[in-house]
Amino acid sequence: MKLIDERKIPTVFKAFCDENRIKILKQLRTGEKCACVLLDSLHISQPTLSHHMKILCDSGVVAMRKEGKWAHYSISPEGAAFASECLLSLISTDNSGKDKPCCDK
């Protein structure tokens, strides 16, 4: 398994630690959405949406493109793969070597 920089992992998991961000990700699973669509469906303010989208984009899980004055968001396949790698790097067991016992018996 590839070694992942521990400083990047919290940024990824922060993206998944809010109910509104989870709702946004669920909407983006069906394809790209304009910020106006996300605003209407979540019933949150524009500054609150911007805050959530910054966190999602900073994590790499969501990509943004501008079209005129509107931002369009989609799930980044590369970012999603990296998030998956982060989780697997933390929960996969490594049976390649034995750890020393924690106490003498």
Side-chain angles (χ1 to χ4, degrees):
M1 173 143 321
K2 178 172 120 176
L3 203 57
I4 297 177
D5 183 349
E6 287 91 4
R7 293 172 292 183
K8 293 182 181 179
I9 294 173
T11 304
V12 171
F13 285 105
K14 181 178 181 180
F16 302 118
C17 292
D18 182 88
E19 184 179 333
N20 283 317
R21 291 193 288 273
I22 296 300
K23 289 177 183 178
I24 291 166
L25 289 169
K26 283 183 167 185
Q27 288 188 48
L28 295 179
R29 288 181 0 186
T30 60
E32 182 181 78
K33 301 284 184 295
C34 178
C36 63
V37 171
L38 297 171
L39 273 173
D40 286 345
S41 65
L42 292 171
H43 308 292
I44 59 176
S45 69
Q46 189 279 325
T48 300
L49 178 65
S50 291
H51 168 75
H52 289 307
M53 298 317 296
K54 178 177 181 353
I55 291 169
L56 287 165
C57 289
D58 286 350
S59 75
V61 174
V62 171
M64 185 264 295
R65 72 174 181 85
K66 292 286 270 182
E67 186 175 300
K69 68 176 185 169
W70 291 106
H72 296 263
Y73 298 96
S74 60
I75 291 179
S76 163
E78 299 83 10
F82 180 71
S84 180
E85 285 178 36
C86 288
L87 180 59
L88 287 174
S89 75
L90 294 172
I91 64 172
S92 297
T93 56
D94 181 6
N95 295 323
S96 63
K98 296 252 181 190
D99 288 337
K100 288 170 57 174
C102 63
C103 56
D104 294 325
K105 292 188 180 190

